Amino acid sequence: MGFTKKEYEFLGEIGVGPDNLGGYVDGKWKATGPVVSSVNPSNNQEIARVTEASIQDYEEGMKACNEAAKKWMSIPAPKRGEIVRQIGDALRAKLEFLGRLVSLEMGKILPEGIGEVQEIIDMCDYAVGLSRQLNGSIVPSERPDHMMFEMWNPLGIVGVITAFNFPCAVLGWNACIALVAGNCVVWKGAPTTPLITIAVTKLVAEVFEKNNLPGAIFTSFCGGAEIGQAISKDTRIALVSFTGSSKVGSIVQKTVSERFGKCLLELSGNNAIIVMDDADIDLAARSILFAAVGTAGQRCTTCRRLYLHESIYQKVLDQLIGVYKQVKVGDPLEKGTLVGPVHTRVSRDNFEKGISSIKSQACILSLGGKILVGGSVIESDGNFVQPTIVEISPDASIVKEELFGPVLYVMKFKTLDEAIEMNNSVPQGLSSSIFTRKPEIIFKWIGPHGSDCGIVNVNIPTNGAEIGGAFGGEKATGGGREAGSDSWKQYMRRSTCTINYGSELPLAQGINFG
């Protein structure tokens, strides 16, 4: 039986059919769990069916993965880098098809879908170089004829639990580094984007097979909370990387911590842009638009709060409202569309609930809650909503929450200190940006009395991070760091080694023991 729609036939080019097994277990496709449908958020119609993995499939996969870890960690790091290079090439060869699938199944526009796959390719390239630079320090010893240094060794197995909004890029941030660091990877993709999980896994699996390496080095499962809980509880998994809400992340962290495992969390963001009175307003307006409505407001780095200096408040706001009214909302695969659907019917319902809460704030005169543009669901078979701007008080409780959609809260400020205080006033601490041309403002913003976020930008949006820097945030965002800089250290075990190459036994701190 073929696909229900001709436009889905391209999926065959990346190994996806109308019916698919959602578990890659010990180098074979196997799944004995329930059958689910992958749904196109543009019309809520079925794309294809997937049989999810069961706990029995998980256990079989983990046994093989645990065994494969012994072989993979023994291969020299540059040789592991060569395998990751080949994975990057395999993804590059299918870039357009994979990007199209991301847009189809997740709902982001095609340029963003292709950009997401490109991000994994970039991570592969980055990891190849890193495979020759997993360096430890040499530390001067206070004892004669002694040498002290650091050794970095693999953890063993890394579990990666990813979310729907970046269904494959976040895998790349973790898996590329984890693999060159000598770890096997166990991936649980988002339950609502199983086709992406399957397509990416098939390309990775082909590389390991071509190199006569155990397929269990990269094990993947489509499934729900049951598989995620199993990963969190599994003592064979040394590090669990989880991307999702702060609420679920705290549960994952508690579960992993109880077994003394390591946890890497990428959780909620409630990101702000500050526009100072000296800012380039055209540059700021373009940045705000991308930051607030890109991916239909479903990036963890989406700008949700906008603080405008009182002297330029109305000018910026008028320009933004004009631009918002021209934004094309529609089919993400159609040229010219800037905003696709939110991901699921539940996402659309949450948008409506959020708008209702905003309107209820409007009843309290001191809190505002005035919708300036948007604020409605677009009637269609899909999950389309209007990009929305809301004028509101920073004291409104809803401003402290993350509404996962294209809703931007706009507020006024008088001084830089006031703006920084408002930026830092929310529980989350992922991304932030300020627009100014004054060096003294820039350096205060990035300094100890500035933004308390993990990403602190100047004159660029809050979203669209490059892979070369460490990605992650503070506070309720979880404190994890992925991708570039020295994030690789989280995927390895550090040992401090001291070697005595002499015949005496001098003790540290000059202790004389008999």
Side-chain angles (χ1 to χ4, degrees):
M1 185 178 173
F3 287 102
T4 55
K5 294 199 172 192
K6 189 174 177 60
E7 56 262 39
Y8 298 162
E9 289 178 359
F10 78 92
L11 296 173
E13 298 288 338
I14 43 179
V16 175
D19 291 281
N20 306 272
L21 295 174
Y24 188 63
V25 175
D26 193 13
K28 299 178 291 292
W29 286 95
K30 178 181 180 180
T32 57
V35 176
V36 298
S37 292
S38 169
V39 174
N40 180 350
S42 292
N43 55 25
N44 285 304
Q45 294 178 6
E46 180 181 271
I47 304 169
R49 291 169 296 281
V50 174
T51 302
E52 292 185 327
S54 65
I55 286 297
Q56 290 74 27
D57 300 326
Y58 171 82
E59 185 55 36
E60 184 181 335
M62 281 306 303
K63 282 180 181 176
C65 186
N66 201 37
E67 195 61 34
K70 298 170 188 174
K71 179 169 184 177
W72 183 241
M73 67 174 58
S74 300
I75 295 172
K79 299 294 184 186
R80 298 191 297 254
E82 166 58 19
I83 300 301
V84 173
R85 184 195 67 77
Q86 292 178 34
I87 292 171
D89 284 349
L91 293 165
R92 193 176 278 112
K94 301 291 185 179
L95 173 61
E96 298 290 331
F97 293 125
L98 287 169
R100 194 169 185 84
L101 172 56
V102 171
S103 296
L104 176 68
E105 191 175 36
M106 185 273 151
K108 62 181 65 175
I109 62 173
L110 186 56
E112 289 184 307
I114 292 171
E116 173 165 355
V117 180
Q118 183 62 49
E119 198 163 351
I120 318 181
I121 296 167
D122 292 346
M123 278 302 308
C124 287
D125 292 346
Y126 177 84
V128 174
L130 183 64
S131 70
R132 294 180 181 271
Q133 300 177 67
L134 301 171
N135 305 323
S137 301
I138 295 175
V139 183
S141 174
E142 66 184 67
R143 291 171 280 187
D145 297 334
H146 282 60
M147 184 175 186
M148 185 161 54
F149 56 94
E150 291 178 345
M151 279 288 292
W152 291 91
N153 287 301
L155 292 172
I157 301 176
V158 171
V160 184
I161 303 173
T162 56
F164 74 85
N165 58 339
F166 280 88
C168 58
V170 175
L171 170 76
W173 297 349
N174 287 275
C176 297
I177 305 299
L179 286 169
V180 298
N183 303 298
C184 289
V185 172
V186 176
W187 178 27
K188 190 196 91 67
T192 52
T193 55
L195 303 183
I196 297 165
T197 303
I198 291 166
V200 171
T201 300
K202 287 199 171 186
L203 289 171
V204 175
E206 285 173 10
V207 171
F208 283 105
E209 187 176 343
K210 186 175 70 176
N211 287 274
N212 296 312
L213 288 165
I217 292 169
F218 189 91
T219 299
S220 78
F221 303 104
C222 298
E226 190 178 39
I227 299 294
Q229 288 163 4
I231 289 173
S232 299
K233 292 176 182 177
D234 199 328
T235 55
R236 292 167 295 192
I237 298 176
L239 169 68
V240 176
S241 170
F242 173 83
T243 301
S245 69
S246 296
K247 181 180 178 181
V248 178
S250 66
I251 297 169
V252 172
Q253 184 178 46
K254 183 180 178 183
T255 303
V256 175
S257 296
E258 282 175 350
R259 62 175 177 84
F260 297 102
K262 295 175 70 175
C263 210
L264 197 167
L265 300 174
E266 294 290 354
L267 309 177
S268 304
N270 189 355
N271 316 292
I273 288 177
I274 296 169
V275 183
M276 298 300 296
D277 54 352
D278 69 312
D280 180 329
I281 290 175
D282 288 340
L283 179 66
R286 294 202 308 275
S287 299
I288 294 161
L289 180 69
F290 174 60
V293 309
T295 323
Q298 296 170 110
R299 292 185 181 223
C300 49
T301 51
T302 290
C303 177
R304 310 196 184 282
R305 298 176 293 139
L306 175 61
Y307 298 111
L308 302 174
H309 190 275
E310 59 181 5
S311 66
I312 46 110
Y313 181 83
Q314 203 58 51
K315 183 177 181 181
V316 176
L317 199 52
D318 289 345
Q319 190 165 333
L320 268 180
I321 290 170
V323 173
Y324 262 60
K325 288 178 177 177
Q326 297 173 42
V327 169
K328 181 183 176 182
V329 180
D331 184 343
L333 292 167
E334 205 172 275
K335 192 173 181 181
T337 299
L338 285 184
V339 177
V342 291
H343 184 53
T344 62
R345 185 65 72 177
V346 172
S347 305
R348 175 180 147 157
D349 293 345
N350 288 338
F351 173 86
E352 285 190 294
K353 289 174 187 173
I355 295 298
S356 295
S357 296
I358 290 164
K359 289 176 178 176
S360 69
Q361 302 273 308
C363 299
I364 307 170
L365 292 177
S366 62
L367 297 181
K370 182 181 178 185
I371 295 172
L372 303 178
V373 65
S376 299
V377 163
I378 298 171
E379 290 304 321
S380 71
D381 293 330
N383 307 321
F384 298 99
V385 302
Q386 294 177 338
T388 301
I389 297 176
V390 179
E391 198 170 37
I392 201 165
S393 165
D395 298 323
S397 60
I398 197 167
V399 173
K400 304 287 193 291
E401 302 165 9
E402 183 188 38
L403 177 55
F404 218 59
V407 177
L408 179 66
Y409 301 119
V410 184
M411 292 152 279
K412 194 181 293 186
F413 71 91
K414 293 182 180 180
T415 67
L416 174 62
D417 287 343
E418 182 188 3
I420 291 172
E421 184 179 350
M422 289 192 290
N423 176 80
N424 297 348
S425 67
V426 298
Q428 308 86 353
L430 179 52
S431 187
S432 56
S433 188
I434 196 167
F435 283 78
T436 182
R437 285 175 276 199
K438 293 180 179 176
E440 63 271 27
I441 292 176
I442 292 171
F443 286 101
K444 179 167 185 177
W445 172 244
I446 65 174
H449 301 292
S451 171
D452 65 359
C453 295
I455 297 170
V456 183
N457 293 335
V458 178
N459 295 330
I460 64 169
T462 50
N463 53 356
E466 297 179 39
I467 59 113
F471 182 92
E474 301 299 323
K475 304 189 295 187
T477 303
R481 293 297 186 274
E482 295 170 341
S485 185
D486 65 350
S487 299
W488 64 269
K489 293 179 178 179
Q490 294 175 100
Y491 303 87
M492 301 197 80
R493 171 174 58 82
R494 171 166 38 189
S495 302
T496 300
C497 306
T498 306
I499 297 173
N500 179 0
Y501 55 88
S503 56
E504 301 297 322
L505 191 64
L507 300 178
Q509 294 83 49
I511 293 172
N512 185 355
F513 194 70

